[in-house]
Amino acid sequence: MTASGPSPDLGGELLSDKVKRLVLDRIIHGHYKPGERVVEFQLAKELGFSQSPVRDALRELAAIGVITMHPRRGARVRMPSAKELADVSQVRAEIDALAARLAADRLSAATVATLEELVDRMLDRLADGDFPAVTEADVRFHQLIVQASGNRALEQTFEQLAPFARTFLTLTLPDVDVHEILLEHREILTALTAPDPDGAADAARRHQLHVRSLMLSRAATEDGDQLAAARTS
């Protein structure tokens, strides 16, 4: 059976959103490698969908730079550069700061408990070397704060950039000690639960700027590697 619109079985979720989430999960978990082709027809057949929602999902991923679309070569996975990820973190610094400021007086006890669990999960999964699980907990932590802000425009902007957050961790975790960065989530949570809107905003901003600094360092390394390669070619 094929479909191309919202399905009651998915709780009203657009099929293209389901496909987009699946492709992102596969990129994060290494099922789709950078440069590898994502075949529209094969994916549609696998999922039992028409090609329309698959095509829409790939176009949306191309719009945020995770996929490239070529008329003859189809869709291929694209790994954003460290500089691109640093730029996203700079924008996220302000988005997350505003979200934390707005959410500080709005968090329910249940949301606070979930945020605490997510911080513990990040640290536990990092110790286990389960990097995809760290990315899931990290994105969910920030997503909950944005959702608690009550600002729909802020939430929509966050969702556009969330794939880059997952890419950052996937790109960085195997090579860099990010334990201190993960601990910064506790600083954000402490300020949120005080509640201290200004302190929460400052902590959220510092966290993302720390991420940006890390990615700029990685970008410098990438540039050095490219320069070295050019000199030896």
Side-chain angles (χ1 to χ4, degrees), residues 74-230:
R76 292 185 184 274
V77 175
R78 175 183 179 271
M79 181 65 77
S81 70
K83 175 59 167 63
E84 288 177 281
L85 296 173
D87 289 345
V88 168
S89 292
Q90 188 173 29
V91 176
R92 275 283 306 276
E94 300 309 316
I95 291 173
D96 287 18
L98 177 57
R101 187 186 304 279
L102 295 174
D105 294 320
R106 300 170 57 94
L107 289 175
S108 67
T111 300
V112 169
T114 301
L115 290 171
E116 291 172 344
E117 292 172 3
L118 287 168
V119 175
D120 290 340
R121 189 183 308 167
M122 282 182 237
L123 296 169
D124 289 344
R125 297 291 79 78
L126 180 66
D128 294 339
D130 186 353
F131 305 132
V134 176
T135 71
E136 295 295 338
D138 175 84
V139 171
R140 184 57 180 156
F141 178 92
H142 295 289
Q143 184 182 49
L144 282 175
I145 295 172
V146 171
Q147 290 173 348
S149 75
N151 188 308
R152 179 58 182 160
L154 197 61
E155 187 175 345
Q156 290 174 329
T157 304
F158 175 87
E159 293 300 333
Q160 283 290 318
L161 298 176
F164 287 92
R166 300 178 71 186
T167 304
F168 151 69
L169 287 170
T170 302
L171 179 70
T172 304
L173 283 173
D175 303 321
V176 178
D177 183 3
V178 294
H179 186 261
E180 291 301 317
I181 287 181
L182 295 184
L183 286 177
E184 290 170 358
H185 292 89
R186 284 184 174 158
E187 297 176 21
I188 298 170
L189 186 54
T190 297
L192 285 170
T193 55
D196 178 4
D198 289 341
D202 289 343
R205 182 181 291 108
R206 282 196 307 272
H207 172 64
Q208 283 299 330
L209 291 178
H210 191 177
V211 172
R212 179 175 183 265
S213 177
L214 181 61
M215 296 315 301
L216 286 174
S217 296
R218 193 177 188 95
T221 300
E222 287 181 355
D223 290 343
D225 291 343
Q226 290 174 1
L227 181 60

Side-chain angles (χ1 to χ4, degrees), residues 22 37 45-46 147 171 186 201:
L22 174 66
R37 189 179 174 201
K45 183 177 180 181
E46 173 192 343
Q147 290 173 348
L171 179 70
R186 284 184 174 158

